Amino acid sequence: MSLEVLGPRACRRLLEQVSVAWLAHCADGAVHMVPVNFALHATEIVVHSVYGRSLTAVVEGRLITLAAGHFDEEARAGWSVTVTGRAHLVGDPLVNPGAPDADVWADLPSTVPVAVPMTTVTGRRVQR
């Protein structure tokens, strides 16, 4: 088994293979993490946030981390990618033309599109 540290391009290619990740931020002395659907757009990752802790973290300019991965327990192989940056509101399509909508699985009442810039991108892959 080998552990490979991945560069940003390899990380992006792996993120293109999945549509679900974990969105995390710190607030009130605790880490808050929620599963989200996402879409890649240029050098950012677009997610939809409901009104609450995650959206507050974005508006307050806190660091946001998005983590995704794929693991095969039988083969004991897999990969993980972590993206960290100061997220911002995507806004109207006229402001950010071409920004994709993440295909949100949950029936959420009202969401706001948020972009996490791929400021810091790290990844690892374990394989035979």
Side-chain angles (χ1 to χ4, degrees):
M1 300 297 279
S2 68
L3 175 64
E4 177 186 7
V5 176
L6 304 171
R9 285 187 184 142
C11 289
R12 183 180 177 89
R13 284 192 300 274
L14 290 170
L15 287 173
E16 290 170 348
Q17 298 176 18
V18 295
S19 63
V20 178
W22 290 93
L23 188 72
H25 63 87
C26 292
D28 304 322
V31 175
H32 300 277
M33 213 160 58
V34 294
V36 294
N37 296 101
F38 71 92
L40 292 169
H41 176 61
T43 60
E44 298 180 320
I45 297 175
V46 177
V47 301
H48 281 257
S49 177
V50 297
Y51 290 89
R53 286 185 179 137
S54 295
L55 192 56
T56 299
V58 171
V59 172
E60 292 179 351
R62 287 190 245 138
L63 283 175
I64 303 286
T65 297
L66 184 128
H70 178 74
F71 306 96
D72 181 337
E73 290 189 36
E74 283 188 34
R76 297 181 65 150
W79 59 266
S80 64
V81 171
T82 304
V83 174
T84 301
R86 295 198 188 279
H88 61 89
L89 301 176
V90 171
D92 190 275
L94 293 173
V95 175
N96 288 313
D101 260 347
D103 180 21
V104 180
W105 293 357
D107 185 19
L108 302 173
S110 181
T111 63
V112 176
V114 170
V116 180
M118 297 175 79
T119 306
T120 303
V121 181
T122 59
R124 293 178 171 204
R125 178 173 24 221
V126 175
Q127 59 190 3
R128 291 186 186 267

